[in-house]
Amino acid sequence: MTNRANVLRALAWAGFCLVASPMIGIAQEEPAMETDTLYVIDLEDGSTLYGYIISRGDDALSIRTVAGLNIELEAVLVRSTTEASGRVVDGEYWSEDPNNTRLFFAPSSRPVPNGACYVGTYMILLPFVGCGIGNRFTIAGGAPVLFGELQPFYIAPKLTLIQNESFGVAVGTIAFSNWGAGLWDEDDFETIGIAFGVATFGSDDKALTTGLGFGYAGSDFASDPVLMLGGEARLSRRVKLITENYFIPTGEAIGLVMGGVRLLASNFSGDVGMLGATGAGALACCIPVINFAYRFGGRR
């Protein structure tokens, strides 16, 4: 009798396992994601979520956050979903540097994303604006606020010839002109500027940028180049180190040295640094460098 009872219990347990195991598997299975693309989800209350879309319908949006939580949102609560340009680090979303197309002043090889634009100021008194056209061309311009006038105006087109995750090359120019009444007599003033080429080695978080430029006035070009060496290193989600340095081989070699930090937000960046100059065996220090930029459009 005992053996019969043991056999029946064993058969009952085996039957339970056969029936229950598929149910257990279903309960533990994670819902499949609609895509492995990371999104920025802006809500109507002003908050922002970062995650992957599991499913979407007319009434609801299901997402998995970067922290691994599955959330279902009513569609009326969602303002927008935008493909993210940043990445996930230890369960935390790090947005792309919104101003990674330049160091303090010098350009990197990276283009402004197609359809994106930015506005900002150099040194408080030098407002500028720039936009990306296609995936290779960036056009920027601005003018210093001097004596209540926006003169001289400058324009800075840049063409990115090569750009991948770890290397890029770009060429361009920065050209100044009074284009009307300004600080110089129109009859005497020529367009002046610098034609340059830059190469960026590394990622958005850690990179080295080198540059070579020749100054010009009208159709006359300088015989000696200006050399630039700069770098960037991201320390955290919100902080990046920036350095930008120039060597100008004139009769007496002149060097300009800049270093500081960039504070990062989703679409905003602020640079705080110091500028020093060397030449003729002397060192001049220190001029504060304060820049701001806000990017809109494109990915976040």
Side-chain angles (χ1 to χ4, degrees):
M1 184 69 179
T2 302
N3 290 337
R4 178 183 176 85
N6 289 337
V7 170
L8 290 175
R9 279 197 295 267
L11 290 174
W13 177 250
F16 172 79
C17 290
L18 289 173
V19 173
S21 56
M23 297 176 61
I24 294 171
I26 292 172
Q28 292 178 342
E29 182 181 354
E30 291 285 352
M33 290 183 291
E34 175 186 276
T35 173
D36 58 0
T37 302
L38 182 62
Y39 282 89
V40 180
I41 299 101
D42 291 315
L43 305 182
E44 291 292 349
D45 64 1
S47 59
T48 301
L49 298 173
Y50 304 95
Y52 307 90
I53 294 176
I54 298 172
S55 65
R56 68 174 96 201
D58 294 335
D59 300 323
L61 175 70
S62 296
I63 67 169
R64 182 177 303 153
T65 69
V66 295
L69 299 177
N70 294 332
I71 300 175
E72 183 168 309
L73 300 165
E74 294 183 28
V76 294
L77 301 178
V78 179
R79 179 184 303 166
S80 64
T81 58
T82 307
E83 185 176 339
S85 60
R87 60 192 179 91
V88 178
V89 179
D90 296 330
E92 184 179 51
Y93 179 71
W94 285 23
S95 62
E96 180 184 64
D97 178 354
N99 208 16
N100 65 1
T101 59
R102 66 174 177 85
L103 300 172
F104 284 114
F105 301 103
S108 69
S109 68
R110 307 178 188 108
V112 174
N114 182 38
C117 294
Y118 60 84
V119 294
T121 62
Y122 295 128
M123 306 291 284
I124 306 298
L125 298 177
L126 301 171
F128 62 87
V129 62
C131 290
I133 302 173
N135 295 317
R136 299 288 182 180
F137 188 68
T138 300
I139 183 69
V145 181
L146 298 174
F147 312 113
E149 296 185 356
L150 292 174
Q151 292 289 345
F153 186 86
Y154 80 87
I155 187 169
K158 181 180 74 174
L159 178 64
T160 298
L161 303 176
I162 302 171
Q163 188 64 55
N164 55 43
E165 292 183 357
S166 59
F167 177 68
V169 175
V171 295
T173 185
I174 302 173
F176 290 86
S177 176
N178 63 344
W179 290 358
L183 299 178
W184 294 275
D185 188 312
E186 292 183 44
D187 295 331
D188 297 332
F189 184 76
E190 291 183 301
T191 297
I192 62 173
I194 183 169
F196 64 83
V198 293
T200 298
F201 306 84
S203 67
D204 184 56
D205 290 341
K206 186 180 295 183
L208 177 72
T209 295
T210 61
L212 177 71
F214 288 88
Y216 60 84
S219 59
D220 297 326
F221 279 79
S223 57
D224 295 322
V226 175
L227 307 177
M228 189 277 294
L229 178 64
E232 54 198 298
R234 193 158 181 171
L235 300 182
S236 67
R237 182 185 182 191
R238 299 297 188 190
V239 179
K240 175 186 275 191
L241 296 179
I242 301 287
T243 183
E244 181 178 328
N245 311 284
Y246 294 88
F247 176 71
I248 307 172
T250 57
E252 293 182 352
I254 299 174
L256 298 177
V257 180
M258 282 179 278
V261 298
R262 173 168 294 166
L263 305 178
L264 303 169
S266 177
N267 290 318
F268 175 83
S269 70
D271 300 337
V272 180
M274 300 297 289
L275 165 66
T278 62
L283 173 65
C285 186
C286 296
I287 300 174
V289 176
I290 302 175
N291 305 327
F292 300 100
Y294 177 79
R295 191 176 83 181
F296 54 94
R299 299 190 305 167
R300 295 170 55 194

